[in-house]
């Protein structure tokens, strides 16, 4: 008999055409033994609940929860994790489209490699399904990890909708501590402390990029344009942008991992990283501790990202030149 897999889907004010495509892409998977848990985060658009109840009636594998108050992105996933009972668990965004063998290939890989997490590549598509990037790993310089690696401590490894995790990881994730900023980073960190991580280079789903995304997918120019529209274009604005980026995307993640850390080796990495981030945050023009960067963040598939990060962290005055040159442009993402 096929191994049962729990699919956790969170929804909030999802457009009908995206919601139907995503749910149907899950229900049409080649792997049939699934329990699909859907939690709607108190959507204000009434058609969302109507569509979800329609699918719940059509397929007995769906179990629907309608939240009476808005929990927020992370807490909604925490709620679903608490409902899950299966040995293997997958996360799903509400507006992507899964390729028909995503569950089958993810499950096969996690069993074969005997690890606690597998993450897969994807294609990035726009609102109309037009492919923007064929290889998300390459486009976003996603860390490539087999086994265990310090990058799973200092970076987010694999976006949540690309992951399959074991029940053992889930049990260590919940209940979420106040420091949790991203369930996917946390899942990868805990898996890295356990049996480790593996990946699938083949794209197994289409990751949709549009105006209501919560996380992920933005280009550097999109990020900076969005920031400048809200905060101004001067050097002080750039320094605030730099501080926000370091604190939100790096330092807060390390602090989260620190609260869940069980291994002394990882605790040392966390301590080094925290000290490093706090040090570079004090720099306003230049910081020459580039060796510190390579000890913390450098790794496989990180070359292009490393160049951008070294400029941001260690040469803010050079980073400002790039910041100043970027003109206002169409912003595909307006929320994070």
């Amino acid at each position: 008999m096929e191994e049962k897999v729990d699919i956790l889907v969170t929804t909030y004010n999802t457009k009908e055409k995206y919601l139907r495509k995503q749910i149907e892409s899950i229900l049409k998977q080649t792997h049939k033994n699934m329990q699909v848990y859907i939690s709607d985060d108190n959507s204000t658009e009434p058609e969302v609940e109507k569509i979800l109840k329609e699918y719940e009636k059509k397929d007995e594998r769906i179990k629907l929860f309608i939240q009476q108050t808005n929990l927020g992105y992370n807490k909604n996933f925490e709620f679903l994790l608490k409902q899950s009972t299966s040995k293997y668990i997958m996360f799903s965004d509400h507006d992507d489209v899964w390729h028909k063998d995503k569950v089958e290939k993810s499950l096969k890989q996690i069993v074969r490699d005997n690890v606690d997490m597998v993450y897969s590549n994807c294609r990035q598509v726009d609102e109309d399904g037009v492919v923007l990037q064929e290889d998300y790993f390459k486009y976003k310089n996603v860390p490539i990890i087999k086994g265990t690696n310090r990058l799973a401590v200092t970076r987010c490894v694999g976006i949540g909708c690309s992951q399959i995790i074991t029940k053992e990881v889930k049990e260590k994730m919940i209940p979420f501590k106040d420091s949790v900023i991203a369930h996917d980073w946390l899942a990868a960190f805990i898996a890295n402390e356990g049996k480790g991580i593996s990946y699938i280079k083949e794209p197994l789903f289409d990751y949709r990029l549009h105006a209501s995304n919560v996380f992920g997918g933005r280009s550097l120019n999109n990020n900076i344009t969005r920031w400048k529209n809200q905060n101004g274009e001067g050097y002080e604005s750039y320094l605030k942008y730099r501080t926000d980026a370091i604190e939100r995307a790096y330092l807060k993640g390390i602090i989260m991992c620190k609260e869940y850390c069980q291994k002394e080796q990882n605790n040392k990495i966390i301590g080094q990283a925290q000290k490093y981030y706090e040090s570079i945050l004090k720099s306003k023009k230049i910081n020459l501790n580039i060796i510190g960067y390579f000890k913390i963040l450098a790794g496989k598939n990180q070359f292009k990202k490393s160049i951008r990060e070294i400029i941001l962290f260690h040469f803010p005055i050079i980073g400002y030149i790039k910041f100043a040159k970027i003109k206002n442009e169409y912003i595909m993402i307006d929320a994070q």
Side-chain angles (χ1 to χ4, degrees), residues 46-60:
E47 68 270 13
V48 175
E49 182 175 344
K50 180 181 177 181
I51 294 167
L52 293 175
K53 287 183 175 179
E54 172 192 326
Y55 278 103
E56 184 183 32
K57 290 180 180 179
K58 286 168 58 175
D59 198 306
E60 63 182 8

PDB file of all heavy atoms in Angstrom, residues 46-60:
ATOM      1  N   PRO A  46     -16.094  36.037   0.120  1.00  0.00           N
ATOM      2  CA  PRO A  46     -16.968  34.893   0.420  1.00  0.00           C
ATOM      3  C   PRO A  46     -16.845  33.724  -0.545  1.00  0.00           C
ATOM      4  O   PRO A  46     -17.102  32.581  -0.170  1.00  0.00           O
ATOM      5  CB  PRO A  46     -18.373  35.503   0.381  1.00  0.00           C
ATOM      6  CG  PRO A  46     -18.239  36.749  -0.433  1.00  0.00           C
ATOM      7  CD  PRO A  46     -16.868  37.262  -0.149  1.00  0.00           C
ATOM      8  N   GLU A  47     -16.435  33.988  -1.787  1.00  0.00           N
ATOM      9  CA  GLU A  47     -16.364  32.888  -2.747  1.00  0.00           C
ATOM     10  C   GLU A  47     -15.277  31.875  -2.402  1.00  0.00           C
ATOM     11  O   GLU A  47     -15.335  30.718  -2.835  1.00  0.00           O
ATOM     12  CB  GLU A  47     -16.151  33.425  -4.178  1.00  0.00           C
ATOM     13  CG  GLU A  47     -14.812  34.055  -4.426  1.00  0.00           C
ATOM     14  CD  GLU A  47     -14.803  35.542  -4.139  1.00  0.00           C
ATOM     15  OE1 GLU A  47     -15.760  36.044  -3.508  1.00  0.00           O
ATOM     16  OE2 GLU A  47     -13.834  36.208  -4.555  1.00  0.00           O
ATOM     17  N   VAL A  48     -14.268  32.298  -1.611  1.00  0.00           N
ATOM     18  CA  VAL A  48     -13.188  31.375  -1.240  1.00  0.00           C
ATOM     19  C   VAL A  48     -13.748  30.212  -0.432  1.00  0.00           C
ATOM     20  O   VAL A  48     -13.509  29.044  -0.735  1.00  0.00           O
ATOM     21  CB  VAL A  48     -12.086  32.108  -0.450  1.00  0.00           C
ATOM     22  CG1 VAL A  48     -11.032  31.108   0.032  1.00  0.00           C
ATOM     23  CG2 VAL A  48     -11.439  33.199  -1.304  1.00  0.00           C
ATOM     24  N   GLU A  49     -14.519  30.520   0.610  1.00  0.00           N
ATOM     25  CA  GLU A  49     -15.111  29.469   1.439  1.00  0.00           C
ATOM     26  C   GLU A  49     -16.063  28.592   0.609  1.00  0.00           C
ATOM     27  O   GLU A  49     -16.081  27.360   0.778  1.00  0.00           O
ATOM     28  CB  GLU A  49     -15.863  30.084   2.619  1.00  0.00           C
ATOM     29  CG  GLU A  49     -16.474  29.051   3.554  1.00  0.00           C
ATOM     30  CD  GLU A  49     -17.106  29.681   4.787  1.00  0.00           C
ATOM     31  OE1 GLU A  49     -16.815  30.858   5.089  1.00  0.00           O
ATOM     32  OE2 GLU A  49     -17.915  28.990   5.450  1.00  0.00           O
ATOM     33  N   LYS A  50     -16.806  29.210  -0.275  1.00  0.00           N
ATOM     34  CA  LYS A  50     -17.744  28.467  -1.116  1.00  0.00           C
ATOM     35  C   LYS A  50     -17.012  27.446  -1.984  1.00  0.00           C
ATOM     36  O   LYS A  50     -17.428  26.282  -2.090  1.00  0.00           O
ATOM     37  CB  LYS A  50     -18.521  29.448  -2.004  1.00  0.00           C
ATOM     38  CG  LYS A  50     -19.531  28.787  -2.918  1.00  0.00           C
ATOM     39  CD  LYS A  50     -20.248  29.845  -3.783  1.00  0.00           C
ATOM     40  CE  LYS A  50     -21.215  29.181  -4.754  1.00  0.00           C
ATOM     41  NZ  LYS A  50     -21.899  30.185  -5.612  1.00  0.00           N
ATOM     42  N   ILE A  51     -15.908  27.863  -2.601  1.00  0.00           N
ATOM     43  CA  ILE A  51     -15.125  26.968  -3.463  1.00  0.00           C
ATOM     44  C   ILE A  51     -14.511  25.840  -2.645  1.00  0.00           C
ATOM     45  O   ILE A  51     -14.535  24.672  -3.047  1.00  0.00           O
ATOM     46  CB  ILE A  51     -14.022  27.763  -4.198  1.00  0.00           C
ATOM     47  CG1 ILE A  51     -14.654  28.751  -5.185  1.00  0.00           C
ATOM     48  CG2 ILE A  51     -13.057  26.823  -4.922  1.00  0.00           C
ATOM     49  CD1 ILE A  51     -13.692  29.785  -5.718  1.00  0.00           C
ATOM     50  N   LEU A  52     -13.969  26.184  -1.479  1.00  0.00           N
ATOM     51  CA  LEU A  52     -13.333  25.171  -0.639  1.00  0.00           C
ATOM     52  C   LEU A  52     -14.332  24.118  -0.172  1.00  0.00           C
ATOM     53  O   LEU A  52     -14.033  22.916  -0.166  1.00  0.00           O
ATOM     54  CB  LEU A  52     -12.661  25.844   0.561  1.00  0.00           C
ATOM     55  CG  LEU A  52     -11.454  26.746   0.237  1.00  0.00           C
ATOM     56  CD1 LEU A  52     -10.963  27.440   1.496  1.00  0.00           C
ATOM     57  CD2 LEU A  52     -10.334  25.964  -0.424  1.00  0.00           C
ATOM     58  N   LYS A  53     -15.511  24.546   0.206  1.00  0.00           N
ATOM     59  CA  LYS A  53     -16.539  23.593   0.641  1.00  0.00           C
ATOM     60  C   LYS A  53     -17.002  22.716  -0.526  1.00  0.00           C
ATOM     61  O   LYS A  53     -17.332  21.536  -0.325  1.00  0.00           O
ATOM     62  CB  LYS A  53     -17.718  24.347   1.263  1.00  0.00           C
ATOM     63  CG  LYS A  53     -17.400  24.911   2.644  1.00  0.00           C
ATOM     64  CD  LYS A  53     -18.603  25.597   3.266  1.00  0.00           C
ATOM     65  CE  LYS A  53     -18.298  26.049   4.690  1.00  0.00           C
ATOM     66  NZ  LYS A  53     -19.453  26.740   5.319  1.00  0.00           N
ATOM     67  N   GLU A  54     -17.009  23.286  -1.706  1.00  0.00           N
ATOM     68  CA  GLU A  54     -17.362  22.517  -2.902  1.00  0.00           C
ATOM     69  C   GLU A  54     -16.387  21.359  -3.100  1.00  0.00           C
ATOM     70  O   GLU A  54     -16.792  20.213  -3.353  1.00  0.00           O
ATOM     71  CB  GLU A  54     -17.342  23.450  -4.119  1.00  0.00           C
ATOM     72  CG  GLU A  54     -17.493  22.746  -5.458  1.00  0.00           C
ATOM     73  CD  GLU A  54     -17.166  23.675  -6.621  1.00  0.00           C
ATOM     74  OE1 GLU A  54     -17.439  24.895  -6.541  1.00  0.00           O
ATOM     75  OE2 GLU A  54     -16.604  23.166  -7.623  1.00  0.00           O
ATOM     76  N   TYR A  55     -15.091  21.659  -2.983  1.00  0.00           N
ATOM     77  CA  TYR A  55     -14.076  20.619  -3.157  1.00  0.00           C
ATOM     78  C   TYR A  55     -14.096  19.611  -2.014  1.00  0.00           C
ATOM     79  O   TYR A  55     -13.845  18.416  -2.219  1.00  0.00           O
ATOM     80  CB  TYR A  55     -12.681  21.244  -3.307  1.00  0.00           C
ATOM     81  CG  TYR A  55     -12.395  21.720  -4.706  1.00  0.00           C
ATOM     82  CD1 TYR A  55     -12.450  23.076  -5.020  1.00  0.00           C
ATOM     83  CD2 TYR A  55     -12.074  20.819  -5.713  1.00  0.00           C
ATOM     84  CE1 TYR A  55     -12.197  23.527  -6.315  1.00  0.00           C
ATOM     85  CE2 TYR A  55     -11.820  21.249  -7.009  1.00  0.00           C
ATOM     86  CZ  TYR A  55     -11.881  22.607  -7.303  1.00  0.00           C
ATOM     87  OH  TYR A  55     -11.635  23.043  -8.586  1.00  0.00           O
ATOM     88  N   GLU A  56     -14.379  20.073  -0.813  1.00  0.00           N
ATOM     89  CA  GLU A  56     -14.448  19.163   0.333  1.00  0.00           C
ATOM     90  C   GLU A  56     -15.544  18.117   0.117  1.00  0.00           C
ATOM     91  O   GLU A  56     -15.379  16.937   0.456  1.00  0.00           O
ATOM     92  CB  GLU A  56     -14.714  19.943   1.616  1.00  0.00           C
ATOM     93  CG  GLU A  56     -14.697  19.072   2.871  1.00  0.00           C
ATOM     94  CD  GLU A  56     -15.039  19.860   4.122  1.00  0.00           C
ATOM     95  OE1 GLU A  56     -15.843  20.824   4.021  1.00  0.00           O
ATOM     96  OE2 GLU A  56     -14.513  19.527   5.193  1.00  0.00           O
ATOM     97  N   LYS A  57     -16.661  18.539  -0.471  1.00  0.00           N
ATOM     98  CA  LYS A  57     -17.758  17.603  -0.744  1.00  0.00           C
ATOM     99  C   LYS A  57     -17.405  16.626  -1.864  1.00  0.00           C
ATOM    100  O   LYS A  57     -17.853  15.483  -1.872  1.00  0.00           O
ATOM    101  CB  LYS A  57     -19.024  18.376  -1.112  1.00  0.00           C
ATOM    102  CG  LYS A  57     -19.657  19.133   0.048  1.00  0.00           C
ATOM    103  CD  LYS A  57     -20.910  19.874  -0.411  1.00  0.00           C
ATOM    104  CE  LYS A  57     -21.556  20.642   0.738  1.00  0.00           C
ATOM    105  NZ  LYS A  57     -22.759  21.393   0.288  1.00  0.00           N
ATOM    106  N   LYS A  58     -16.599  17.082  -2.823  1.00  0.00           N
ATOM    107  CA  LYS A  58     -16.266  16.276  -3.996  1.00  0.00           C
ATOM    108  C   LYS A  58     -15.208  15.218  -3.709  1.00  0.00           C
ATOM    109  O   LYS A  58     -15.175  14.179  -4.367  1.00  0.00           O
ATOM    110  CB  LYS A  58     -15.780  17.179  -5.133  1.00  0.00           C
ATOM    111  CG  LYS A  58     -16.891  17.966  -5.808  1.00  0.00           C
ATOM    112  CD  LYS A  58     -16.342  19.057  -6.707  1.00  0.00           C
ATOM    113  CE  LYS A  58     -15.429  18.556  -7.793  1.00  0.00           C
ATOM    114  NZ  LYS A  58     -15.002  19.630  -8.722  1.00  0.00           N
ATOM    115  N   ASP A  59     -14.320  15.464  -2.736  1.00  0.00           N
ATOM    116  CA  ASP A  59     -13.205  14.533  -2.507  1.00  0.00           C
ATOM    117  C   ASP A  59     -13.022  14.299  -1.014  1.00  0.00           C
ATOM    118  O   ASP A  59     -12.738  15.235  -0.260  1.00  0.00           O
ATOM    119  CB  ASP A  59     -11.915  15.105  -3.119  1.00  0.00           C
ATOM    120  CG  ASP A  59     -10.842  14.048  -3.313  1.00  0.00           C
ATOM    121  OD1 ASP A  59     -10.509  13.365  -2.325  1.00  0.00           O
ATOM    122  OD2 ASP A  59     -10.326  13.918  -4.439  1.00  0.00           O
ATOM    123  N   GLU A  60     -13.184  13.064  -0.605  1.00  0.00           N
ATOM    124  CA  GLU A  60     -13.125  12.727   0.820  1.00  0.00           C
ATOM    125  C   GLU A  60     -11.721  12.888   1.414  1.00  0.00           C
ATOM    126  O   GLU A  60     -11.558  12.865   2.636  1.00  0.00           O
ATOM    127  CB  GLU A  60     -13.600  11.292   1.030  1.00  0.00           C
ATOM    128  CG  GLU A  60     -12.730  10.254   0.345  1.00  0.00           C
ATOM    129  CD  GLU A  60     -13.262   8.845   0.531  1.00  0.00           C
ATOM    130  OE1 GLU A  60     -14.381   8.695   1.071  1.00  0.00           O
ATOM    131  OE2 GLU A  60     -12.558   7.907   0.129  1.00  0.00           O
TER     132      GLU A  60
END
